[in-house]
Amino acid sequence: MGTSSGEESGVTAAAEGVEAWHGLYDALAEEHDYEIGEIDGRLPDGLVGTLYRNGPGCWQVGETLLDHIFDGDGMVSLFSFPGDGRIHYRNRYVRTRHYRYGQRKGRAGLRGLGTQRPGGVLGNMLRPPANVANTGVVLHGGQLLALWEGGRPYRLDPDSLETLGEHSFDGRLKLMSAFSAHPSRCPETGELFNFGMDFTRLRSLRCYRVDPRGKLQHMPRISLPYSPWNHDFALTRRYLVFVINPVIPKAGPILLGTGSIADALTYEPDRPTCFAIVPRDGGKARVIEHKALLGFHFVNAFEDGDDVVVEFVRFADWDQVATRFRDFRTSDFPWGDALMRYRVSSSGRIEEQEVCGGPMELPHADVRQAGRPHRYTYFAGRTPTSTGIHAYDHVTGRRTTHELPPGHGFGEPVFVPRTPDADEGDGWLLTLAYDPDEHRSRLLVLGAQDVEAEPLAVAHLRHHIPMGFHGSFTTRIATPPR
Ligand SMILES: [Fe+2]
């Protein structure tokens, strides 16, 4: 790509005030395609399929540094496990308009979420943020989609990762529609559910149902007391469950271009958090108001009798989150303060339970448990001495940790079952770790029932993978291009 690497641009882990793991925010300039030659240990026999991951791969365009962690161009990686002990790695940037403009001009020209376009107020007035397709990735109905919460997905070839174009689901997702980066698949029906923030109608969310073959249907809109920014939701057998924070985009500076969109997101704790219980069958949503709280990433939800239970990572301080997203090159990661469960009764009563304390983020559960009670929650977490991957057992209350060496960078854990019908927890966690001494990343394969043990296998990449967001595993094996 046309941008320079972090080392060339001087944005390195050696800069003043930057800890070694911040090398994760150096750009990965190259697009790679190779069989990983250095694998310690042995890959489990049943680990067959493909891990896809997405995240910003580059936070600069030419010499221009981008001002927000969400503004980097989306770079999708795949790790293909054919089942013979080998791993093939490939990464490709999503050919979005933002990416192509930067390649062509060698400078930033589009407005981002936290990065203003050149030209001051007039240059940003009435400009929506560019879709950088950098947040999530899912294979559904044969389509590999790179997801970003403010716009339509980009469709990629699931083998070559070539960008095939913006995906409208046969025209059902109109221009300016949003298809969030956190869809949830029902393990019983194979349907994929998702939502999008509605930029054409205030105080509402759109919800979608995508059948197993990839056909999208609109569900009824959810009416809300305010127009929120919302990131995630969870699915039960009968409902979509939202916990909507009173983080509200201020329309004035966004539309007038007087400030960045990220800076216009304002936490208003005098307003309620809205628990929205949305029937999957299209019935009327229940919206229950609760005191303000902050949660961005959900683990799961399920029904317990007439109650709905939802689990997510709660945050204590919006200003800290916003500051760390903006000052990502020098700040600590924006950790959540606790894993929480909220029980919503049919009468609208809400009970809260702290499951375990943080700092933590990027939670994950076995996706086969989506919508039903899950026993294990996995997440990245911090201890006083290091970061690592944690597993929490809801039955025993035991928390186990795979600690990374001090100063090393971490990533989201993704659970892979040993077989399609293996018990919950019987499988592996795939996660990326970053070694600042070598400025390289490793793929760790951890035994999910013994995360404290040495990894079953460690695959050493030839380079680092910049700090990413979300990934997913599929049993389909991506094949190298001919
Ligand atoms: Fe997310």
Side-chain angles (χ1 to χ4, degrees):
M1 61 189 283
T3 54
S4 59
S5 75
E7 191 166 301
E8 290 160 349
S9 68
V11 187
T12 72
E16 188 180 352
V18 178
E19 294 180 38
W21 68 268
H22 282 95
L24 273 174
Y25 295 115
D26 288 1
L28 176 63
E30 301 80 18
E31 294 183 321
H32 294 274
D33 210 330
Y34 62 92
E35 183 182 325
I36 298 177
E38 297 175 60
I39 300 178
D40 300 336
R42 185 170 179 273
L43 289 177
D45 289 337
L47 182 55
V48 178
T50 306
L51 173 70
Y52 292 104
R53 295 211 53 84
N54 195 0
C58 184
W59 289 272
Q60 60 189 94
V61 181
E63 294 302 312
T64 311
L65 299 183
L66 303 178
D67 294 335
H68 197 278
I69 193 171
F70 291 157
D71 282 344
D73 282 314
M75 185 194 86
V76 174
S77 294
L78 73 74
F79 296 82
S80 176
F81 304 88
D84 57 4
R86 296 180 300 147
I87 307 174
H88 195 93
Y89 176 80
R90 179 176 303 129
N91 70 307
R92 291 291 181 273
Y93 279 88
V94 186
R95 267 51 177 180
T96 61
R97 187 164 163 255
H98 184 270
Y99 176 86
R100 288 182 282 118
Y101 186 99
Q103 293 293 293
R104 206 169 55 245
K105 302 277 191 178
R107 58 181 166 79
L110 305 182
R111 194 182 192 189
L113 192 78
T115 306
Q116 291 287 79
R117 186 172 174 266
V121 170
L122 286 178
N124 289 277
M125 187 182 290
L126 301 177
R127 301 268 181 180
N131 181 348
V132 283
N134 68 3
T135 314
V137 57
V138 66
L139 182 70
H140 185 76
Q143 316 275 14
L144 183 67
L145 302 177
L147 304 165
W148 181 73
E149 69 193 13
R152 297 192 292 197
Y154 273 81
R155 190 160 64 89
L156 311 181
D157 183 294
D159 294 317
S160 68
L161 300 181
E162 177 193 352
T163 301
L164 302 175
E166 217 173 296
H167 189 53
S168 70
F169 293 92
D170 295 324
R172 290 167 184 265
L173 211 54
K174 304 293 182 205
L175 203 63
M176 297 293 290
S177 295
F179 189 83
S180 162
H182 281 281
S184 186
R185 184 183 284 119
C186 174
E188 291 171 6
T189 67
E191 297 165 304
L192 191 76
F193 290 86
N194 202 0
F195 72 95
M197 287 170 286
D198 195 329
F199 303 114
T200 59
R201 192 159 145 178
L202 297 177
R203 301 183 179 201
S204 69
L205 283 182
R206 288 174 183 268
C207 292
Y208 310 107
R209 173 204 305 268
V210 187
D211 77 13
R213 297 199 301 179
K215 185 175 177 185
L216 180 140
Q217 274 185 327
H218 288 257
M219 296 173 64
R221 288 174 201 270
I222 313 169
S223 294
L224 297 167
Y226 49 79
S227 297
W229 169 66
N230 189 66
H231 186 64
D232 197 358
F233 78 106
L235 196 66
T236 76
R237 284 188 158 120
R238 289 186 293 165
Y239 304 108
L240 287 75
V241 182
F242 293 84
V243 182
I244 293 165
N245 313 298
V247 173
I248 299 172
K250 290 291 180 201
I254 294 175
L255 296 175
L256 295 174
T258 52
S260 81
I261 296 159
D263 287 343
L265 293 174
T266 309
Y267 181 51
E268 299 189 15
D270 293 338
R271 293 180 184 256
T273 279
C274 295
F275 285 73
I277 314 292
V278 182
R280 284 167 50 167
D281 66 8
K284 187 169 170 27
R286 278 198 299 151
V287 177
I288 301 148
E289 298 187 359
H290 184 72
K291 70 181 179 191
L293 56 85
L294 288 166
F296 308 114
H297 283 135
F298 288 67
V299 180
N300 193 16
F302 55 89
E303 294 160 49
D304 183 12
D306 291 334
D307 294 353
V308 170
V309 179
V310 58
E311 181 179 319
F312 59 89
V313 172
R314 187 183 66 189
F315 283 73
D317 183 342
W318 168 254
D319 289 339
Q320 185 184 77
V321 171
T323 301
R324 289 179 175 183
F325 280 150
R326 188 184 60 225
D327 300 335
F328 62 98
R329 290 185 177 87
T330 53
S331 287
D332 194 4
F333 194 72
W335 297 104
D337 72 311
L339 184 65
M340 302 295 298
R341 280 191 173 185
Y342 286 79
R343 175 178 290 269
V344 184
S345 75
S346 56
S347 66
R349 178 183 159 85
I350 296 176
E351 293 174 23
E352 71 173 21
Q353 175 204 356
E354 181 172 323
V355 176
C356 66
M360 60 174 59
E361 239 299 40
L362 304 173
H364 183 82
D366 183 339
V367 294
R368 298 172 306 161
Q369 297 301 119
R372 63 189 83 182
H374 60 283
R375 176 166 178 175
Y376 302 103
T377 300
Y378 311 103
F379 51 89
R382 164 162 286 182
T383 66
T385 53
S386 72
T387 53
I389 297 301
H390 299 238
Y392 183 83
D393 182 337
H394 289 270
V395 171
T396 64
R398 185 162 179 256
R399 174 176 176 170
T400 48
T401 304
H402 183 85
E403 288 205 25
L404 300 172
H408 284 219
F410 61 93
E412 175 196 58
V414 171
F415 175 81
V416 180
R418 187 178 303 275
T419 59
D421 55 359
D423 290 343
E424 186 195 347
D426 182 11
W428 311 286
L429 294 175
L430 304 183
T431 193
L432 287 169
Y434 169 73
D435 181 343
D437 296 330
E438 298 186 358
H439 191 44
R440 291 202 295 170
S441 294
R442 304 163 176 170
L443 178 75
L444 307 184
V445 181
L446 305 176
Q449 290 176 319
D450 189 11
V451 299
E452 293 168 309
E454 288 295 307
L456 300 171
V458 180
H460 299 264
L461 293 161
R462 297 175 183 170
H463 46 81
H464 79 302
I465 295 182
M467 171 62 90
F469 297 132
H470 303 297
S472 57
F473 187 85
T474 169
T475 54
R476 180 189 182 277
I477 304 166
T479 56
R482 291 178 187 167

